[in-house]
Amino acid sequence: MDLEKLLSMQKLCINDNPAACVTECPIHVDVKGFICEIRKGNFEEAYRILKKRIPFTNVIGLVCDHPCENSCVTNIYGKAISIHELEKAAVIYGRGAKIKTLPMPKVNKKIAVIGGGISGITCACDLNQKGYSVDIYEKENGVGGSLLKMPEQILNPKLIKEEIIKLEEQGIEIKLNQEITPEKLKGITLEYDAVFIGTGEWNEKFDVNEVTLQTEIEKVFAYGRIVSERKSVIQSVRTGRCAAVSIDRFVYNKSLTALREKEGSYKSILQVDIEKEKITPRIKPENTAFTKEEAINEALRCLQCECHKCVKACVHLQKVKLDPKAYIRTINQNERIILGDHYANKTINSCTECGLCGVVCPKSINMADIIKETRESMVSRNKMPISAHDFALKDMEFTNSKYFELIKHQPGKNNSKYVFYPGCQLSASYSEYVIKTYNYLMEKLDDGVGLYLGCCGAPAKWAGRQEQYDSSIEKTKLNLEKLGNPIVITACSTCFSNFGENLKNIKIKSLWEIFDEKGLPLDSKSGNGKILAVHDACTTRNEKGIHESIRNIAESLHYNIEEPQFTKEKTKCCGYGGLVYYANKEFSKEVTEDRIKDSENDFLAYCAMCRDLFVLKGKKTYHILDLIYGSGNVEITDMKVPTLSDRRANRFKLKKELLENLWGEKMDIKNEYEDIKIVIEDELKGKMEDELILEGDIKRVIGNAEKTNNSFYNPETGHILAWRRFVNITFWVEYQKVNDSFKVINAYSHRMHVKGV
């Protein structure tokens, strides 16, 4: 696995980028963070967050001119979050918070700050925290600059005095009534390692670098109103901070320009979708400031901006509480450090690989591709437990074996222009529809329609068994060559996708496009305006032709179509994809339930597994073939879903019936011990279904025990306990003989080797 490429994908994720309110703030106060704390009523923690970025917090926090509010995503018709009022509330109700400060070791460097206004104080505070000795020269009788001129009802002078005392307690020396003229500046530069001029008046014009604030006098840095006429409190803080960074770099002979692109205000790249958000009006304080309750309610209006489009759409990402960046970090750790642990396996095997995340992501980060590659890597390093996908892989082997696989030209023909490939799941759930559809195709299409029963190899692909998948595809190619490379007509969307991706020299056509083009059987019945919500199979995400055909068929039968929020290219998975149904069945049910919530109307599906999973969770769902063949008004109580054992049996019977009825051939193959009669209660059948135990497995265990007497007998209950190992799984069956049949009491399986007693 190319981990460097993986990490480069991680960098594309924009979710952890700061919101616009943070990037537009000249000093990048964590607006989202402090508002989040106010939402919880934690004003002291909100104050601590402000304190990290705002010097002179108890003053600046009350008079900030809040440019951030203009960039708030809720700034629609004056409804932007009252960020400044919340900032004031954090100061008013949280300034008693205890804040631990670690004294910085002093460095043998002295800095002069000329001007005790906002930018000068900020520069002095920042440099003092870095260990510098700082002297402030102020020509007036007090520091504070423009703050001192604010009306008392806005800013109490007492607060300014309290903050100045704190400055002096930090070791900053304030020299009042000290006017530094251009003539005196030369002496100052000789005495100090660097000088910052932040005063509003200066008789000499400087050439100031806009990025570094360095002047033509190497040691001197300047801003304030001698450079800009902007009267902004928070911009003054920014320039003072910018000067402090430059001076610190200058003193230690570091680059003054490196990595400063985002030092001031800049545009956020975070994309926030507010289309479905209800933006309520701002809360106005009854008095001059918010009460605590008012502040909390206003903070609750904040959307706490994040992208998270993929997480909002994907149940898996919600469940594991990971966005793509964090997920990729987990995978990287799993590959480089842990080298495959149980947690990582469970997480990685719970992705349905449906690709919805990549569709909704602004940067097109597709976790399905990443998960697929991760599974392949884990398989190659023997870190992927076979148990997670064992049943599906064995089912694939069965489907491509003599028990189901069938490759034939149309009866009475030696050539095939087309071949019908119904797929393994449709054959397992709707074997009668497969027969009807094949007869329909032979009637509608000229020049021969062959039949190919088998599996496209999807289980191996989803399981990360690339070698096994490639082998399956290669076998399919050879079989199609024997038929003369006909046009493949697929009923299964996964087969359509896999063949389209791998069979480059063969034309693949969807069965639904054939129905749409050639017309429906004459006995198809009208839906009489019934509304159905279309569930598109996730493997047809990019197949507009299939989407249109399904809708055309339904509408031609007089059904009305509802498009759920997640439809067509944005469809959700049913819970089967990626073999999650086998690797994490409980979570698979959650995925199914999540999809069902998207519409109150009955569903229309064209994937057999989608239909079956929805019905199992109580959602009335029709397969498109139900509509075509006149079964579109069946009640949910009459909708049957075959068990895993039924699915195997249905495929076997389908092949047998087709051979006998169409080609007049007998199928002499029998499953081992298939004639044994067993009785299983419904409750135990449900347990067997959850634990992936087939009735055929039960028969083989009992048959072998009866033949070899390799079992345990309990004389108290009359029960027999038998086991048998098949490749890598041991099945245990507790049963009782009842006349000519066997009543199964219990059954379970595990991966261990049991030697005979």
Side-chain angles (χ1 to χ4, degrees):
M1 187 174 189
D2 187 342
L3 295 179
E4 298 310 316
K5 178 183 175 184
L6 179 71
L7 294 177
S8 69
M9 289 288 292
Q10 180 188 38
K11 294 176 183 177
L12 294 176
C13 181
I14 63 173
N15 192 63
D16 63 353
N17 280 268
C21 56
V22 178
T23 64
E24 295 288 350
C25 172
I27 60 172
H28 304 157
V29 171
D30 183 5
V31 177
K32 178 180 170 181
F34 91 77
I35 291 180
C36 180
E37 294 303 326
I38 292 178
R39 289 159 69 101
K40 297 183 284 188
N42 195 344
F43 289 89
E44 290 190 351
E45 187 58 33
Y47 178 80
R48 291 188 185 99
I49 292 172
L50 289 180
K51 188 76 175 172
K52 291 177 182 179
R53 299 298 302 170
I54 303 179
F56 235 41
T57 315
N58 293 353
V59 173
I60 304 296
L62 298 177
V63 297
C64 173
D65 41 302
H66 50 275
C68 52
E69 288 188 17
N70 291 330
S71 61
C72 176
V73 296
T74 64
N75 189 21
I76 303 170
Y77 308 120
K79 294 180 181 179
I81 305 301
S82 301
I83 299 173
H84 178 52
E85 292 300 328
L86 292 174
E87 189 177 22
K88 284 170 60 178
V91 172
I92 293 169
Y93 304 118
R95 60 187 167 202
K98 293 181 180 179
I99 298 176
K100 293 181 180 180
T101 55
L102 298 174
M104 287 290 294
K106 289 293 181 181
V107 297
N108 189 26
K109 304 289 181 181
K110 291 178 63 179
I111 311 298
V113 173
I114 300 172
I118 299 171
S119 62
I121 292 171
T122 301
C123 183
C125 285
D126 284 9
L127 290 171
N128 176 264
Q129 289 176 0
K130 294 177 184 293
Y132 290 91
S133 296
V134 184
D135 294 339
I136 297 176
Y137 290 84
E138 171 55 51
K139 73 173 183 176
E140 303 293 343
N141 194 35
V143 298
S146 60
L147 297 173
L148 298 171
K149 301 175 184 178
M150 291 187 175
E152 189 170 336
Q153 63 267 29
I154 294 177
L155 184 60
N156 190 329
K158 180 183 176 183
L159 292 174
I160 301 175
K161 291 178 182 178
E162 289 175 354
E163 292 296 294
I164 291 169
I165 291 171
K166 292 177 184 178
L167 292 181
E168 293 176 320
E169 289 175 348
Q170 293 170 20
I172 296 172
E173 186 172 347
I174 301 174
K175 300 175 183 288
L176 301 176
N177 303 309
Q178 296 285 325
E179 183 174 1
I180 305 300
T181 63
E183 291 77 20
K184 291 181 181 180
L185 180 60
K186 186 174 182 181
I188 293 288
T189 58
L190 293 175
E191 185 180 349
Y192 292 89
D193 293 284
V195 179
F196 173 58
I197 303 174
T199 181
E201 298 177 3
W202 194 256
N203 294 328
E204 185 178 351
K205 188 69 176 175
F206 282 114
D207 182 14
V208 181
N209 184 294
E210 291 184 0
V211 175
T212 67
L213 307 188
Q214 188 177 37
T215 69
E216 66 270 25
I217 304 173
E218 191 180 32
K219 276 189 177 183
V220 178
F221 299 78
Y223 208 77
R225 284 201 293 276
I226 62 173
V227 176
S228 173
E229 288 299 319
R230 286 186 296 177
K231 297 179 181 179
S232 166
V233 170
I234 204 67
Q235 283 292 351
S236 294
V237 173
R238 188 199 81 79
T239 57
R241 179 150 292 160
C242 175
V245 172
S246 292
I247 288 171
D248 182 49
R249 292 186 179 191
F250 169 76
V251 169
Y252 286 101
N253 198 28
K254 296 179 181 177
S255 170
L256 267 63
T257 57
L259 302 175
R260 302 191 75 161
E261 298 83 2
K262 296 182 178 179
E263 202 167 76
S265 300
Y266 65 93
K267 295 294 181 184
S268 172
I269 63 171
L270 187 66
Q271 297 184 29
V272 184
D273 185 2
I274 65 168
E275 184 180 347
K276 296 187 184 314
E277 300 288 348
K278 184 179 180 182
I279 312 300
T280 56
R282 297 176 105 178
I283 294 172
K284 296 180 180 180
E286 289 187 11
N287 298 306
T288 56
F290 277 141
T291 63
K292 283 188 176 182
E293 184 179 0
E294 287 172 337
I296 291 170
N297 288 333
E298 177 64 12
L300 288 170
R301 292 182 58 240
C302 175
L303 301 182
Q304 291 289 287
C305 289
E306 57 186 8
C307 172
H308 263 191
K309 289 186 177 181
C310 56
V311 177
K312 292 172 184 175
C314 174
V315 190
H316 173 54
L317 294 178
Q318 294 167 21
K319 185 79 173 180
V320 297
K321 298 179 180 178
L322 296 171
D323 60 21
K325 183 163 285 188
Y327 207 141
I328 291 171
R329 188 162 54 245
T330 299
I331 291 172
N332 181 58
Q333 182 186 36
N334 189 53
E335 290 281 313
R336 293 182 190 264
I337 304 169
I338 302 173
L339 303 180
D341 69 355
H342 178 72
Y343 169 78
N345 288 335
K346 191 70 174 283
T347 301
I348 290 163
N349 285 330
S350 295
C351 172
T352 63
E353 295 188 25
C354 75
L356 175 58
C357 55
V359 175
V360 300
C361 174
K363 298 296 182 180
S364 301
I365 301 173
N366 193 335
M367 288 305 300
D369 295 337
I370 294 170
I371 293 296
K372 176 180 179 293
E373 191 173 348
T374 302
R375 291 184 186 179
E376 290 171 6
S377 173
M378 294 175 73
V379 168
S380 68
R381 294 182 290 108
N382 292 320
K383 293 296 183 179
M384 176 62 74
I386 190 67
S387 57
H389 308 120
D390 185 71
F391 183 92
L393 293 171
K394 283 189 169 64
D395 198 48
M396 173 182 156
E397 289 176 6
F398 171 87
T399 305
N400 285 333
S401 72
K402 61 185 179 180
Y403 295 102
F404 179 66
E405 187 179 69
L406 179 65
I407 303 139
K408 288 279 192 179
H409 287 299
Q410 181 175 329
K413 293 184 179 290
N414 296 319
N415 296 292
S416 297
K417 182 179 179 180
Y418 305 91
V419 63
F420 178 40
Y421 195 95
C424 54
Q425 301 301 349
L426 184 69
S427 300
S429 294
Y430 292 101
S431 55
E432 72 280 11
Y433 286 162
V434 171
I435 295 170
K436 288 183 178 181
T437 299
Y438 185 46
N439 285 325
Y440 164 88
L441 292 172
M442 288 190 290
E443 176 189 336
K444 292 288 184 178
L445 301 176
D446 298 326
D447 301 323
V449 182
L451 181 67
Y452 189 164
L453 302 182
C455 174
C456 68
K461 181 181 180 181
W462 281 329
R465 310 276 163 177
Q466 190 62 37
E467 186 176 336
Q468 190 173 350
Y469 177 63
D470 290 343
S471 175
S472 174
I473 288 293
E474 186 60 31
K475 180 182 178 183
T476 301
K477 285 181 181 178
L478 293 174
N479 287 332
L480 290 173
E481 284 178 8
K482 292 176 183 177
L483 288 174
N485 288 332
I487 297 169
V488 179
I489 300 172
T490 65
C492 170
S493 56
T494 303
C495 297
F496 183 91
S497 174
N498 285 338
F499 289 165
E501 182 181 332
N502 293 280
L503 304 177
K504 298 299 184 182
N505 298 322
I506 295 176
K507 186 175 181 180
I508 314 298
K509 199 167 181 67
S510 167
L511 172 64
W512 319 124
E513 293 175 300
I514 299 290
F515 273 120
D516 191 23
E517 293 169 5
K518 300 294 183 180
L520 303 178
L522 295 176
D523 57 353
S524 298
K525 296 180 182 178
S526 171
N528 297 317
K530 181 181 177 67
I531 300 173
L532 296 176
V534 177
H535 165 76
D536 292 294
C538 54
T539 44
T540 68
R541 194 175 299 286
N542 301 314
E543 305 301 336
K544 293 182 180 180
I546 293 179
H547 299 160
E548 292 175 4
S549 297
I550 292 296
R551 287 153 178 81
N552 290 343
I553 292 169
E555 288 170 359
S556 71
L557 290 171
H558 306 291
Y559 288 89
N560 289 322
I561 296 300
E562 179 206 356
E563 300 288 356
Q565 176 188 352
F566 293 94
T567 189
K568 297 181 180 178
E569 72 278 2
K570 291 185 179 179
T571 189
K572 287 183 178 178
C573 182
C574 67
Y576 185 80
L579 301 184
V580 175
Y581 180 80
Y582 301 103
N584 190 345
K585 198 163 188 178
E586 287 306 309
F587 176 65
S588 169
K589 293 175 183 177
E590 291 182 40
V591 177
T592 306
E593 289 168 352
D594 175 73
R595 181 48 167 167
I596 287 171
K597 293 175 185 175
D598 287 343
S599 176
E600 294 181 356
N601 288 311
D602 297 346
F603 270 10
L604 170 61
Y606 46 94
C607 165
M609 283 309 305
C610 294
R611 179 267 183 193
D612 288 351
L613 291 187
F614 294 148
V615 171
L616 281 173
K617 297 305 294 183
K619 181 69 172 179
K620 190 189 289 188
T621 305
Y622 298 99
H623 192 281
I624 188 67
L625 291 175
D626 289 326
L627 274 54
I628 292 172
Y629 291 113
S631 305
N633 290 304
V634 178
E635 292 301 316
I636 184 67
T637 51
D638 296 322
M639 289 183 170
K640 305 300 182 184
V641 176
T643 65
L644 294 173
S645 297
D646 293 337
R647 303 178 82 81
R648 282 274 181 95
N650 288 344
R651 294 188 194 115
F652 185 80
K653 291 175 184 176
L654 175 62
K655 177 181 179 179
K656 184 177 181 181
E657 185 175 344
L658 285 167
L659 279 174
E660 289 180 357
N661 294 341
L662 294 180
W663 287 277
E665 298 179 14
K666 289 288 184 181
M667 184 173 167
D668 297 325
I669 306 167
K670 290 181 66 175
N671 289 309
E672 187 180 23
Y673 299 116
E674 71 172 46
D675 294 331
I676 286 180
K677 297 178 182 179
I678 57 175
V679 178
I680 306 175
E681 300 288 342
D682 288 342
E683 184 177 351
L684 180 55
K685 281 187 177 181
K687 176 189 174 186
M688 288 168 53
E689 191 76 1
D690 286 339
E691 296 182 13
L692 309 177
I693 300 173
L694 300 176
E695 292 183 15
D697 298 325
I698 301 291
K699 290 181 177 182
R700 290 194 290 171
V701 172
I702 293 175
N704 184 68
E706 291 297 305
K707 179 180 179 180
T708 63
N709 290 321
N710 198 4
S711 59
F712 299 104
Y713 177 73
N714 187 334
E716 295 181 4
T717 62
H719 295 176
I720 298 170
L721 181 63
W723 72 92
R724 188 174 177 187
R725 182 176 175 83
F726 301 109
V727 188
N728 56 340
I729 297 182
T730 299
F731 291 93
W732 292 82
V733 179
E734 181 182 356
Y735 66 94
Q736 186 177 27
K737 292 182 180 179
V738 181
N739 299 324
D740 62 342
S741 63
F742 300 91
K743 182 179 181 180
V744 181
I745 312 299
N746 199 2
Y748 54 95
S749 66
H750 52 67
R751 297 170 56 81
M752 67 179 290
H753 182 65
V754 179
K755 295 182 178 179
V757 294

